Amino acid sequence: MLTEDELALLEAIRETGSLSRAAARLGRAPSTISHAARQLEARFDALLFDRRRYRLQLTPAGHLLAQEAARLMHDVARLTRRVKQVAGGWEDRLRIVTDEILEFDTLLPVIRAFDKLESGVSLRITHEVLGGTWEALREGRADLVIGATNEPPAISQLRWAELGRMEWVFAVSPRHPLGKATGPLSQQVVSAHRSVVVADSSRGTGRGYGVVAGQATLAVPTMRAKILAQCDGLGVGWLPRHRVSTLLKNGALVEKAMADPREPNVLFAAWRGDHDGRALSWWLEQIRQPRLARRLIDGLPLPG
Amino acid sequence: MLTEDELALLEAIRETGSLSRAAARLGRAPSTISHAARQLEARFDALLFDRRRYRLQLTPAGHLLAQEAARLMHDVARLTRRVKQVAGGWEDRLRIVTDEILEFDTLLPVIRAFDKLESGVSLRITHEVLGGTWEALREGRADLVIGATNEPPAISQLRWAELGRMEWVFAVSPRHPLGKATGPLSQQVVSAHRSVVVADSSRGTGRGYGVVAGQATLAVPTMRAKILAQCDGLGVGWLPRHRVSTLLKNGALVEKAMADPREPNVLFAAWRGDHDGRALSWWLEQIRQPRLARRLIDGLPLPG
DNA sequence: TCAACATGTGCGGTCTCTTCGAACGGGTTC
DNA sequence: GAACCCGTTCGAAGAGACCGCACATGTTGA
């Protein structure tokens, strides 16, 4: 393998173009450097230095070694940092999976605050649709899940905390055929119109919120897209009340009373008890603050 | 940095789960291992081993180090191979740039033969359109250029060899308006019809073969596409005679006499004299064989 | 042309660091 | 509780790194 001394040797020889100067730079005797250089060649079983001329030079092989060794050295330095970091109780990385109904924007201030800690932990934030968050936790793809819906399933070592409730509203564009309908709408009436659903293309399986069997659907990638689609009159469906509050106020959407109202969803944060670290603890501490939890669930109302 | 001994130490401890067994496996005294382990911890300034329980275990930091160090070790082994290879006179990699009018298929047998040498040299074969090959050589993006057209430009240390001549034929689809024209065609007559040109989208600049100013053009990505386009009657232009020989025979294309015939192109192989290596020498040796050069230039006639 | 200087290498001695064996304390197993 | 396993400490022995010196060779400047 390569010692940092050997690397420094190559580096010094390459830059100074001479063994004596390299020796001076490294604070060693010239004979030591000469000895070490020969030893290095013996180790790699290759001519690394061209000694034919007065001042020796690196051969192409020597150049390659010096150059790549510098890269390796860099890798080792980074590895050292990571090891110290993990030894200090910080995870190497923290994988956070949010449900898509949470808006990434609301996480930004927390991420910024986390960055200020300069922990070195690399964050990886992705999102999933519907049950995907629980799956991610079960399959070990996530260290922390934020905004998971429905009841926590049976996962060994599961820990969780309630974030709060998300209320839903059935709303349509005023230009939509249902826009002028009066009185509570039955499922039968609704099912005659296309519904807009959020689906995750990457996993292939078609999931959707509150879809009636046989109903035509328009699958869109995000809740934001669903809201915009419904504003456009492209379909109908349930929307998070708080995120469409402005749109309801200015008439871009109209709320419809339903024969079967939708119960509010309880949102959870969840993690596994067998992995702990300072980054996870910090995030849990933040998320347990009611103000932040409220903001995460409410999201940002779309401006009209 | 990490010595291979230290890496072997981590590996042995991780697998055996005990210092004594690791010592036995490595053929050292237990005291040596204990000492080395502590020294490793001091070096990284991190707790790598959990000594609280009876048999010590790797901490998360230790696991990370062992795992990543194994990866590093692998990198070093690969680097060692590459250094030996370069020291043996083989280049680290050979970048071959062909003109697009050469067909990649005709290179395949040569590549297979090169692979049989098991030199370890990684081949990188790309193609360029028109003057792009010379540029690639000038800008140091290529170690060897095959099939460069036109005269060799002034490039320092340039070396070249003639491959042979490529003859051209002006041909159109029988369903094209020019298909029934008689007698030699003048430039003026031709310029009234759209010409098909080969252009390189990746470099942005529009280049083309023998295009008359003001003439409408259809730019296609490859010579193969140009042939197919002209068979389809989408345009007219010069084509390599040998590659369309079958198509001329079966009537998919008809040759037209021209008032200004096109001179055959001389194709060159070129490289720089200041980089030599066994891989380059081998390729030059192959290319200088007249039979191979002929096959490269003629390409594969498209079946009707 | 010759002297002064610079460069790379070989040798013997010194010094540091690794390694070992022996002894000890604590934990596990039967 | 005896036998065994495990990790640690300590002094001694050995290996390898390093230095100073001498020497051959090549370069530079007067």
Side-chain angles (χ1 to χ4, degrees):
Chain A
M1 194 111 171
L2 286 169
T3 327
E4 69 263 34
D5 291 343
E6 292 166 329
L7 178 60
L9 177 74
L10 280 165
E11 194 92 15
I13 293 177
R14 188 174 62 80
E15 288 185 13
T16 63
S18 130
L19 284 194
S20 320
R21 295 186 190 205
R25 169 181 297 204
L26 299 175
R28 298 280 145 82
S31 59
T32 305
I33 301 302
S34 175
H35 183 64
R38 288 201 176 276
Q39 197 179 8
L40 202 57
E41 282 182 315
R43 171 112 55 92
F44 278 89
D45 189 26
L47 270 86
L48 303 176
F49 309 99
D50 183 356
R51 298 176 162 84
R52 286 173 304 184
R53 272 172 288 183
Y54 180 44
R55 288 187 172 188
L56 59 65
Q57 301 245 317
L58 285 176
T59 62
H63 261 114
L64 176 65
L65 182 60
Q67 172 187 326
E68 292 298 291
R71 209 177 47 76
L72 275 176
M73 185 79 163
H74 187 259
D75 287 358
V76 171
R78 203 176 47 196
L79 173 58
T80 305
R81 264 207 319 279
R82 286 171 61 196
V83 168
K84 280 186 188 172
Q85 172 185 318
V86 172
W90 293 103
E91 298 90 328
D92 186 30
R93 63 176 180 181
L94 188 68
R95 296 163 304 170
I96 299 178
V97 172
T98 67
D99 193 292
E100 204 281 318
I101 54 175
L102 297 193
E103 272 191 304
F104 183 73
D105 308 49
T106 57
L107 275 180
L108 274 177
V110 192
I111 296 172
R112 272 198 293 269
F114 184 75
D115 278 354
K116 278 205 186 137
L117 301 179
E118 294 187 352
S119 63
V121 177
S122 80
L123 286 181
R124 177 187 155 86
I125 300 179
T126 55
H127 60 232
E128 296 274 348
V129 173
L130 274 172
T133 46
W134 292 117
E135 268 180 37
L137 196 62
R138 182 201 303 278
E139 294 168 8
R141 283 185 285 116
D143 301 309
L144 171 62
V145 155
I146 302 178
T149 51
N150 306 332
E151 288 304 303
I155 296 178
S156 75
Q157 296 271 17
L158 182 71
R159 304 271 187 283
W160 74 84
E162 261 191 51
L163 286 176
R165 297 159 154 264
M166 175 177 277
E167 296 188 357
W168 300 87
V169 53
F170 194 92
V172 300
S173 160
R175 289 168 308 185
H176 190 274
L178 281 182
K180 298 197 178 68
T182 56
L185 304 178
S186 69
Q187 275 211 358
Q188 202 183 351
V189 171
V190 169
S191 68
H193 299 273
R194 183 166 67 173
S195 75
V196 181
V197 302
V198 179
D200 186 352
S201 61
S202 69
R203 300 247 178 270
T205 70
R207 296 194 190 99
Y209 278 100
V211 184
V212 178
Q215 189 175 9
T217 60
L218 168 64
V220 295
T222 63
M223 179 55 77
R224 183 186 154 84
K226 177 169 149 86
I227 295 173
L228 294 174
Q230 292 193 207
C231 279
D232 232 47
L234 298 176
V236 302
W238 293 95
L239 300 172
R241 176 176 292 280
H242 194 269
R243 281 177 69 183
V244 296
S245 55
T246 310
L247 298 169
L248 289 172
K249 242 176 249 164
N250 67 15
L253 287 171
V254 290
E255 176 171 0
K256 290 288 154 187
M258 298 296 285
D260 304 304
R262 176 166 179 177
E263 290 298 310
N265 269 102
V266 179
L267 298 192
F268 298 90
W271 63 99
R272 296 177 80 131
D274 49 0
H275 287 60
D276 61 338
R278 289 170 67 180
L280 179 59
S281 301
W282 185 90
W283 276 86
L284 291 178
E285 191 183 319
Q286 303 298 312
I287 281 174
R288 279 169 171 153
Q289 293 174 14
R291 271 185 56 197
L292 175 60
R294 194 67 252 159
R295 204 162 54 215
L296 285 176
I297 294 175
D298 287 345
L300 299 169
L302 264 79
Chain B
M1 196 115 169
L2 285 169
T3 324
E4 67 264 36
D5 290 342
E6 292 166 331
L7 179 58
L9 177 73
L10 280 165
E11 193 93 345
I13 293 177
R14 189 174 60 81
E15 287 185 14
T16 62
S18 129
L19 284 195
S20 320
R21 296 186 189 204
R25 167 181 296 204
L26 299 176
R28 299 279 146 82
S31 59
T32 305
I33 301 302
S34 175
H35 184 65
R38 288 203 176 275
Q39 197 179 7
L40 201 57
E41 283 182 312
R43 172 112 56 92
F44 278 90
D45 188 25
L47 271 86
L48 303 177
F49 310 99
D50 183 355
R51 299 164 210 271
R52 286 173 304 183
R53 271 172 287 181
Y54 180 43
R55 290 188 172 188
L56 59 67
Q57 301 242 317
L58 284 175
T59 61
H63 261 113
L64 176 65
L65 182 59
Q67 171 188 328
E68 291 297 291
R71 209 177 46 78
L72 274 175
M73 186 78 165
H74 186 259
D75 287 358
V76 171
R78 203 176 47 196
L79 173 58
T80 304
R81 264 206 322 278
R82 285 172 62 195
V83 168
K84 280 184 188 173
Q85 172 184 321
V86 173
W90 292 105
E91 298 91 326
D92 187 29
R93 63 173 181 183
L94 187 69
R95 297 163 302 170
I96 299 176
V97 173
T98 67
D99 193 293
E100 203 282 317
I101 55 176
L102 297 194
E103 272 190 304
F104 183 75
D105 306 50
T106 58
L107 276 180
L108 274 177
V110 193
I111 297 173
R112 272 198 294 268
F114 185 76
D115 278 353
K116 277 203 186 138
L117 301 179
E118 294 187 352
S119 63
V121 178
S122 79
L123 286 181
R124 178 189 153 86
I125 300 177
T126 56
H127 60 233
E128 295 275 347
V129 172
L130 274 172
T133 46
W134 294 117
E135 268 179 38
L137 195 63
R138 182 202 302 279
E139 295 168 6
R141 283 186 284 116
D143 301 310
L144 170 62
V145 156
I146 302 178
T149 51
N150 306 330
E151 289 304 304
I155 296 178
S156 75
Q157 297 270 17
L158 182 70
R159 303 273 186 283
W160 73 84
E162 262 190 50
L163 286 176
R165 295 157 155 266
M166 175 177 278
E167 296 188 359
W168 299 87
V169 55
F170 194 90
V172 299
S173 162
R175 290 168 307 183
H176 190 274
L178 281 182
K180 297 197 179 69
T182 57
L185 304 178
S186 69
Q187 276 211 358
Q188 204 183 347
V189 171
V190 169
S191 68
H193 298 273
R194 185 166 67 171
S195 75
V196 182
V197 303
V198 179
D200 186 351
S201 62
S202 69
R203 300 246 178 271
T205 71
R207 298 195 189 99
Y209 279 100
V211 183
V212 178
Q215 189 175 9
T217 60
L218 168 63
V220 295
T222 64
M223 179 54 77
R224 184 186 155 82
K226 177 169 150 86
I227 297 172
L228 294 174
Q230 293 192 206
C231 280
D232 231 48
L234 298 176
V236 301
W238 294 96
L239 299 172
R241 177 176 291 282
H242 194 270
R243 282 178 68 183
V244 296
S245 56
T246 310
L247 298 169
L248 289 171
K249 242 176 250 165
N250 68 14
L253 286 172
V254 291
E255 176 171 1
K256 289 291 154 186
M258 298 296 285
D260 304 304
R262 175 166 179 177
E263 291 298 311
N265 269 103
V266 180
L267 298 194
F268 298 90
W271 63 101
R272 298 178 79 133
D274 49 1
H275 287 61
D276 61 338
R278 290 170 68 181
L280 179 58
S281 301
W282 186 92
W283 276 86
L284 292 178
E285 192 183 317
Q286 303 299 311
I287 281 174
R288 279 169 171 151
Q289 292 174 14
R291 271 186 56 198
L292 175 60
R294 194 68 253 159
R295 201 163 55 218
L296 285 176
I297 293 175
D298 287 345
L300 300 169
L302 263 79

